[in-house]
Amino acid sequence: QQRNQYNMADEDIPNDQREAALDTWMEGFIEGQGLQGTPTIQLKQAKKLLDDGEYKDGAVQKPLLVVDCRPKNERDVSLLTAGSISEEEFDADPEKYLGTHYIMAHCTVGARSAKFAHRIKQQHPNTEVYNFHGSMIHWAHAGLDFVDPKTGESTKKLHTFNLKFDRYRPNGYDGIF
């Protein structure tokens, strides 16, 4: 892992331009990977789900399951929420969650989690599984904190996967890759 200590993210680029550039990249990625139609939720919906801990729609109520599609070395830096499970944990026993949970997948920018959500939806069409568009980068752009998995405390540290995605990180967050 490497800490972005050399201003490689071009700190002078306004955050709104960074976020727009990520959205443009994601559109191309989704199309290029054939992931159009993958169920997606946006930041506002993701925040409400995390705040509530469940999905509610009239009489329908399901617990929220957050699947973090990043590898362990990235999860060791920070988490979106302390109650998330890894993609590997989900895949080890998917029947435990299918049909009983509202599943929100995320990663750094929403690319790996889009692949996960697409795969689960293909295998289990009636499953409520959604990709969190923009994932942790959009969360950071909203000024929201992450969770340090070692202490449980709030943190502004974010594993950005690599230098390419670190450029989308907003100012004020510590990018590690």
Side-chain angles (χ1 to χ4, degrees), residues 99-157:
T100 59
H101 288 73
Y102 187 94
I103 303 167
M104 180 180 79
H106 79 87
C107 59
T108 303
V109 299
R112 292 171 285 182
S113 53
K115 288 181 175 182
F116 169 83
H118 184 78
R119 173 174 62 87
I120 298 303
K121 198 66 171 172
Q122 292 286 352
Q123 294 171 351
H124 308 279
N126 295 323
T127 298
E128 292 183 274
V129 58
Y130 298 84
N131 178 42
F132 175 13
H133 174 80
S135 289
M136 294 182 83
I137 296 286
H138 275 323
W139 191 262
H141 274 282
L144 300 167
D145 287 343
F146 300 107
V147 177
D148 183 317
K150 295 167 195 70
T151 66
E153 301 291 321
S154 294
T155 184
K156 297 280 188 191
K157 290 181 182 176

Side-chain angles (χ1 to χ4, degrees), residues 153-172:
E153 301 291 321
S154 294
T155 184
K156 297 280 188 191
K157 290 181 182 176
L158 171 61
H159 196 294
T160 56
F161 184 67
N162 62 26
L163 180 58
K164 174 182 177 178
F165 294 112
D166 192 66
R167 69 182 181 190
Y168 301 125
R169 172 186 53 83
N171 295 324

Side-chain angles (χ1 to χ4, degrees), residues 25-119:
W25 182 86
M26 277 298 298
E27 287 173 18
F29 175 83
I30 294 294
E31 185 176 325
Q33 296 289 312
L35 301 173
Q36 303 93 322
T38 300
T40 301
I41 62 171
Q42 304 298 321
L43 173 69
K44 185 176 178 180
Q45 296 164 294
K47 172 107 174 60
K48 179 168 177 24
L49 286 167
L50 286 168
D51 287 347
D52 293 347
E54 62 187 2
Y55 170 79
K56 297 177 202 168
D57 185 12
V60 177
Q61 188 172 347
K62 289 186 177 181
L64 174 66
L65 176 69
V66 178
V67 179
D68 190 334
C69 297
R70 301 172 305 144
K72 184 178 182 332
N73 68 310
E74 293 180 45
R75 295 191 313 267
D76 284 346
V77 172
S78 62
L79 302 169
L80 188 62
T81 182
S84 61
I85 67 168
S86 69
E87 182 175 352
E88 293 79 18
E89 289 174 278
F90 180 90
D91 286 340
D93 191 9
E95 299 305 319
K96 182 176 179 180
Y97 310 106
L98 296 173
T100 59
H101 288 73
Y102 187 94
I103 303 167
M104 180 180 79
H106 79 87
C107 59
T108 303
V109 299
R112 292 171 285 182
S113 53
K115 288 181 175 182
F116 169 83
H118 184 78
R119 173 174 62 87

